[in-house]
Amino acid sequence: MHLFISWLQATQSSLLSLLVLSLVLSSCDRVSERMEITQTRDISTYEAKPKLHAYPQERFGDERLRWETPAGWGQAERSQMRPVNLTFGPNKEGECYLAMLPGGAGGVLANVNRWRKQMAQPEITEEELAKLPQKTLMGIPGVFVTVDGAYTNVGAPEAKPDQRLQGIVASLGEAGLFVKMVGPKALVEANTAAFDEFVASLKLRTQQQ
Amino acid sequence: MSAQPTSLLGKAFAILSSYGLAIGILSFLLIDTFLGTITQKDIGLLDSQRIYFDSWWLIHDVNLGGTLIPLPLPGGGLLMVILFFNMLCGAVIRMRKGWRTIGNLISHLAIMFMLAAGFVSFLYKTEGAMPLFEGQASDQYQSYHERTIEVHRYDAAGKGDDKALIIPMKHFADLDPGKARTFFAKDLPFEIQVTGYQRNANIVQAEESEKTAIDGYRVQPVKNAKEDEGNVSALEITVKLKDTPEQKAILWERAQEPFTVKVGDISYAISLSRMKWKLPFAIRLNDFVRELHPGTMKAKKFTSHVTKISSDGKEEPKVVTMNVPVRDQGYVVYQASFSEGSSGEQSVFTVVTNPSDQWPLWSCVAVAIGLIITFLGHLVRFLRRPLKVKTT
Amino acid sequence: MKSFILVLSLLAGSLFAQLPDPALLRDKDIVATFQSLPIQEGGRIKPLDTYARFLLLRLHGKQSIAVEHPQLPNVTKLKAIEWLLLSWFRPDIARDLPLFVVDNSQAVGEIGVDPKSLRDRYSWNEIVKGKEELIKRAQSYGELESDQLTGVQRNVIDLARNFFDYDAVSDFMTAARTDWPKEISTILPPELAKDMAGASGVWDLAVKLGNLIRDQEKMTALGEEPRAKLLELFINTTLRPGKTLAFIPPDDAKNDTWLQIEQTVTTLMKEGKLPESELRISKAKDALYTASLKAETFGVAAKAFVSDVRAAADKRGELKHVDREVSYHKNDHFTYALVWYLLGFLVAFISLVAPKTSLAKWSARIAWVSILLAVGYNVWGITQRCIINERPPIATLYETILFITGVVAIVGLFIERFTRQGIGLVVAGFVGALGMFAANRFMALDARDTMPTLEAVLITNFWLATHVTCINIGYAGAMLGSITSMVYVFYRLFARGELVIESRRLLTRIVYGIVCFGVLFALVGTVLGGIWANDSWGRFWGWDPKENGALMIVLMGLIILHARLGGYILEIGLHALSLLLGAVTLFSWFGVNQLGVGLHSYGFTAGISLALNTGYSV
């Protein structure tokens, strides 16, 4: 009997300490302001590889535009003015971008002449414009412009010689839609097929998801 | 045992093993259950479970004629722990052992075992979803509720490491806007400061003038969904790399791609996502069959014909259907639901691993046996007594 | 002038001479024949009788309709199937009958129809006057969230649904009544109409029209207006009424969806052909109408039609329980059970208030017989349902009422067998009558087939047999304990004397025993439920409302047992807690379903507060 009681007391005390312990344990897992990352997880071979260096628009599914970047081309920083901004050439000397002007673009002729001016070429007339080849850009009919000359970029101090500008000017009412490609003449010529491929791949994503 | 206990421990034991304590605990548990049930209408299941059942204590606001009166109550977790020890002391240690009490002993031990099963599953159970399109295979499942921040390293060739660093939800879920915490790891060349956790949020384009915008976006908090599965969380991070300016980014659970930090040739993909676990085998969905009651849209049966692919490449066909899960290597795969999208039918499985998976079954059998023994004994005595009254 | 008279007499002829005799539609043999026609509805094969009953219950609030109509001399009441046949073959009469029950007469006023008193009934002919307004209102209310609707708005939506459902049902035979050559000749230009000549019924016409529809050129030449008129004619006479009933077993044995006229007629138009049996049964439906014009042909045609469908169903193995279901509804076991329970209760009550007399002895014997009979009806009804559904007794809320009532009555009889105080009889009779009454009210309020097909997760006979049965026996125990405690309260308040103290002591022991019984089943049933959940969803316990409800019963039961063992409660305490257990049981039985069940829990909520108040008042 004595044995039983002592066993009982032992059990009681161990039980109590257990109870106390469990209460203490729950509150000791405090977070400090600096913490080391200790946990890891195994990556599954079935997991799809994410796209690295994605733009915020892509990450947040806010991508209204969809396109395929032609092989060998790179991406440059995009902006409100240039929602698609690509580069090409061994030293990224060529650039190709999509620009959109929601209103006040000033019509097709004005824009074509703006480009010609950048290439230090004389303005053309309405009749000459009508003779230019046609190309559609994202389903909107536009004119295909090719201008050779010395290129002065907006804000650039001096002109680069022996350049070619080619692009499409499309307009829908007041709004203007442009694809412009500029670079050394030979390089642009070599990338004309890629340009067409890029233009064909441009799509406006329907608002879903 | 009849003597009054004098020592402190003795008194404590007397209380711990008393009927009074049992009644008190059961009553509070009843109250918690009732409150936790009716509040589900407003706050959803997960939150009410956390507040009322997984907790040590809680405060319930009683609505008395429009004014809310805070009523402190012991939480379900605390009650169940005390109940366990109450049964241990009262029904196992203190109870007279004999044939008359054997049924009681069995049923109480069985209930204790069931509580233990609950405790084990509370600690060690993982549960998640595995959605698969027909033809698709996977060997991982993701949590319904637990979020993590993941950092995955890619080398110059774009090849990812076998493991990713993860920060569990409990280390950042408390970081409301204004609170921040910095995380570091010895393999990581930068530190990550986390702030502004939102349980349910959208990412919206910021106005140009907004100072707090990151990359032209900001986090817009949204009212919590009724069921936690519907919440899409978001937070802000600042990546601090020595000798370079800080980089800020928004992480969002529904982001399609991770945020990437480049250090030399090495890229680090950082994302906020549901906790993922890996299975020791993979499952490929071959065919999903949805049967309806004829002439209606009411489901009769969901069946998934799958192939289990072992790590050694061995393939084995299995069938998962409602009420009949597949149990394998400690994992259980259930047919949970399905979705029908433009890209075909998607079967959703629930994958669970729980060390105490089958304990309740054994416990149930024992409880039933124990109670039957006890109550049959009562019944026999009950039936005998009126006869005695009549004969005397 | 001459031709006008001719037309008039023709019209009169078609109105008076060429309509089926309504008396024929109540002919015993004909009614019995149609009752046993197998049809498919809600995913299962059932007799037309069941369809008629629940259609009438939904529209009218009862399974029969009281009538007073000059064309129905000496008839005061129509059975559901008779009403359905009248609606099919004589819609001109059926549309006069006060059919649609409207809870709030304001709903009728809203659509410009003269309102009668509360919960009154309106005929098709009355409602049709406000048809346009009904559509407009129902559509605009339908756009609101259902929890924002007022009672009247809900009534308007229900009325609209019921009205248009019945409108289509009453047009079921319209295609057979239509003079197709005439209708077509008013729509199509003469040369096209000539092509259609010789097509007497809709089925010949459908083939010919199908050819026309597939001919793009002719269709374009036809122009917008005739095309629209043609479509309208088909919708009104054939397609819309044809959607009301799936009675054509598909020829393809693998296809388990029975066909409606709407489907067979469109298939015939689209493809120009139809499997022979499908076309035969489709045509036979219209031939029924022609046959119904003469007494000597109707019976034969009806028999031939129904046995044709039955044979096809039988070949598919789908006729098994159709006749049993007809007799299940006809025999109405639960109403008989209600009567016998009630009688038993009243007689047993006499023996309780006048104990130890020969009157008591005899009334106890009568009560025994009466309640045994009632239990017999109760159990037999449940058994019939099990056979028809091919599953264990409980899968719906309605069935829990039937089952729990039966269990309480049986356990009550057992208690009586051992205690012989009349208490068991009183309780069994009381709960039995109350339960059967509640089941009946529940069915009327729900107004849907009480044998629905089940959700996928419930289709498992093993768990329905174990967990569901167990937990409902637990509910029954808790309810029985609670009712017995009410008897105790009754004794305490109204009875005096030596014997009463003994009875009270006995009641206390009975309640304790029943609570033990209830806890055993509730606990095991709850844990079994967890095991089922673990097998179907991957978690043993999820704190879901239904689970919590069961847990609360178990907890309350355990509190009672431990409080009793610990000596914290004696008589009064035990009964008070037992009443509380009853309230908890009602909460988890009906309360947690409140959102899903809506209004139906109202009566039971009153019960809860009653039980609670009784508990407090002790």
Side-chain angles (χ1 to χ4, degrees), chain C residues 41-267:
Chain C
E41 192 199 31
R44 74 179 184 98
I45 307 298
K46 57 179 88 165
L48 185 68
D49 179 56
T50 305
Y51 166 82
R53 281 173 187 274
F54 287 98
L55 180 65
L56 186 57
L57 189 61
R58 170 155 70 87
L59 305 180
H60 191 63
K62 286 181 186 167
Q63 289 196 357
S64 62
I65 180 168
V67 293
E68 201 189 328
H69 196 277
Q71 297 243 45
L72 299 169
N74 307 322
V75 182
T76 54
K77 199 165 130 184
L78 288 180
K79 287 193 273 183
I81 185 77
E82 294 168 343
W83 160 81
L84 182 68
L85 291 179
L86 190 73
S87 304
W88 281 359
F89 290 93
R90 288 300 300 269
D92 54 316
I93 304 174
R95 286 174 178 176
D96 264 345
L97 304 180
L99 176 65
F100 304 106
V101 61
V102 180
D103 283 339
N104 195 330
S105 53
Q106 216 183 316
V108 180
E110 269 199 11
I111 62 164
V113 172
D114 291 339
K116 303 181 197 168
S117 54
L118 231 60
R119 254 192 97 71
D120 216 330
R121 293 174 167 90
Y122 301 82
S123 72
W124 184 94
N125 278 330
E126 283 169 306
I127 299 295
V128 77
K129 290 175 201 142
K131 188 175 150 186
E132 302 303 321
E133 191 63 25
L134 184 62
I135 297 175
K136 233 169 61 191
R137 299 243 170 185
Q139 266 170 354
S140 67
Y141 297 154
E143 283 160 17
L144 299 172
E145 290 289 326
S146 64
D147 55 349
Q148 288 174 352
L149 289 172
T150 65
V152 175
Q153 290 172 336
R154 230 181 280 267
N155 285 163
V156 171
I157 293 175
D158 286 346
L159 179 62
R161 206 189 57 183
N162 289 347
F163 175 79
F164 288 105
D165 282 358
Y166 181 66
D167 187 52
V169 168
S170 66
D171 269 331
F172 191 64
M173 285 291 170
T174 298
R177 272 189 294 265
T178 304
D179 185 351
W180 286 96
K182 199 179 119 210
E183 294 287 341
I184 291 291
S185 68
T186 62
I187 295 173
L188 291 182
E191 71 275 15
L192 276 178
K194 220 163 58 188
D195 288 349
M196 307 292 150
S200 57
V202 65
W203 299 99
D204 301 340
L205 196 68
V207 180
K208 298 192 171 187
L209 268 178
N211 290 331
L212 174 68
I213 288 166
R214 283 193 297 275
D215 192 334
Q216 282 280 321
E217 237 170 79
K218 278 186 185 166
M219 276 308 269
T220 325
L222 194 57
E224 188 81 20
E225 208 197 318
R227 279 207 302 256
K229 274 189 174 168
L230 206 56
L231 185 66
E232 196 186 343
L233 175 68
F234 256 85
I235 288 177
N236 288 338
T237 60
T238 314
L239 299 182
R240 208 165 69 82
K243 269 185 98 144
T244 55
L245 200 69
F247 65 96
I248 307 162
D251 190 53
D252 177 6
K254 277 185 210 132
N255 183 3
D256 56 4
T257 309
W258 282 34
L259 304 170
Q260 304 162 337
I261 287 293
E262 187 224 12
Q263 288 155 314
T264 52
V265 90
T266 41
T267 313

Side-chain angles (χ1 to χ4, degrees), chain B residues 103-128:
Chain B
N104 263 330
L105 188 66
I106 293 173
S107 49
H108 281 90
L109 279 171
I111 297 279
M112 284 165 64
F113 186 55
M114 205 179 303
L115 284 176
F119 193 58
V120 167
S121 91
F122 178 71
L123 289 183
Y124 299 111
K125 177 182 173 180
T126 65
E127 177 185 23

Side-chain angles (χ1 to χ4, degrees), chain B residues 130-134 136-138 283-285 345-347 349:
Chain B
M130 182 199 269
L132 286 180
F133 286 107
E134 286 182 355
Q136 195 188 356
S138 174
I283 291 170
R284 186 177 59 234
L285 177 65
E345 277 180 336
Q346 192 182 34
S347 179
F349 300 100

Side-chain angles (χ1 to χ4, degrees), chain C residues 398-431:
Chain C
Y398 174 72
E399 287 172 330
T400 63
I401 307 176
L402 302 178
F403 182 85
I404 288 174
T405 309
V407 171
V408 169
I410 291 170
V411 176
L413 287 183
F414 263 99
I415 291 170
E416 182 62 24
R417 170 75 185 72
F418 291 113
T419 58
R420 298 168 200 268
Q421 299 285 317
I423 295 165
L425 287 174
V426 168
V427 170
F430 177 72
V431 174

Side-chain angles (χ1 to χ4, degrees), chain C residues 241-487:
Chain C
K243 269 185 98 144
T244 55
L245 200 69
F247 65 96
I248 307 162
D251 190 53
D252 177 6
K254 277 185 210 132
N255 183 3
D256 56 4
T257 309
W258 282 34
L259 304 170
Q260 304 162 337
I261 287 293
E262 187 224 12
Q263 288 155 314
T264 52
V265 90
T266 41
T267 313
L268 195 59
M269 277 183 167
K270 270 191 222 147
E271 291 166 19
K273 62 180 181 352
L274 207 59
E276 196 274 328
S277 70
E278 293 175 13
L279 185 61
R280 188 181 66 234
I281 293 172
S282 298
K283 277 184 172 173
K285 181 219 106 187
D286 288 348
L288 274 179
Y289 182 75
T290 325
S292 72
L293 300 174
K294 288 197 194 105
E296 57 274 25
T297 50
F298 194 29
V300 182
K303 275 221 170 62
F305 170 72
V306 172
S307 53
D308 194 10
V309 178
R310 284 173 64 97
D314 199 19
K315 214 170 96 191
R316 299 168 55 87
E318 293 180 319
L319 194 65
K320 279 185 282 182
H321 305 306
V322 168
D323 291 332
R324 187 182 293 276
E325 190 170 337
V326 174
S327 77
Y328 163 81
H329 280 297
K330 190 176 154 200
N331 290 337
D332 204 5
H333 307 72
F334 302 120
T335 304
Y336 284 104
L338 169 61
V339 172
W340 288 112
Y341 274 131
L342 197 61
L343 182 72
F345 166 65
L346 294 175
V347 177
F349 194 75
I350 296 173
S351 79
L352 207 61
V353 290
K356 310 248 156 155
T357 59
S358 64
L359 178 68
K361 213 163 137 192
W362 277 103
S363 57
R365 279 179 194 164
I366 295 169
W368 260 105
V369 173
S370 170
I371 290 173
L372 270 176
L373 257 172
V375 168
Y377 274 115
N378 192 341
V379 172
W380 184 236
I382 293 175
T383 314
Q384 292 287 322
R385 295 179 62 90
C386 289
I387 297 171
I388 294 166
N389 288 316
E390 299 185 350
R391 60 167 165 76
I394 317 159
T396 66
L397 203 52
Y398 174 72
E399 287 172 330
T400 63
I401 307 176
L402 302 178
F403 182 85
I404 288 174
T405 309
V407 171
V408 169
I410 291 170
V411 176
L413 287 183
F414 263 99
I415 291 170
E416 182 62 24
R417 170 75 185 72
F418 291 113
T419 58
R420 298 168 200 268
Q421 299 285 317
I423 295 165
L425 287 174
V426 168
V427 170
F430 177 72
V431 174
L434 190 72
M436 287 301 118
F437 179 73
N440 192 293
R441 292 312 306 151
F442 185 87
M443 180 169 77
L445 281 169
D446 198 41
R448 270 179 299 188
D449 187 357
T450 61
M451 297 187 233
T453 48
L454 302 180
E455 290 294 340
V457 75
L458 288 179
I459 304 175
T460 149
N461 282 349
F462 175 73
W463 290 114
L464 285 181
T466 52
H467 158 69
V468 178
T469 309
C470 232
I471 199 101
N472 278 286
I473 294 175
Y475 282 4
M479 289 316 295
L480 180 58
S482 180
I483 302 276
T484 314
S485 289
M486 283 184 191
V487 175

Side-chain angles (χ1 to χ4, degrees), chain B residues 37 40 293-294 298 323 334 357, chain C residues 453-454 457 534 536 543 548:
Chain B
T37 306
Q40 282 182 23
H293 287 294
K298 206 166 169 187
N323 291 320
Y334 302 88
D357 182 33
Chain C
T453 48
L454 302 180
V457 75
N534 194 31
S536 71
W543 302 106
N548 289 353

Side-chain angles (χ1 to χ4, degrees), chain B residues 62-81:
Chain B
V62 185
N63 193 339
L64 264 187
T67 47
L68 293 179
I69 295 161
L71 175 72
L73 286 169
L78 176 67
L79 291 171
M80 282 187 276
V81 169

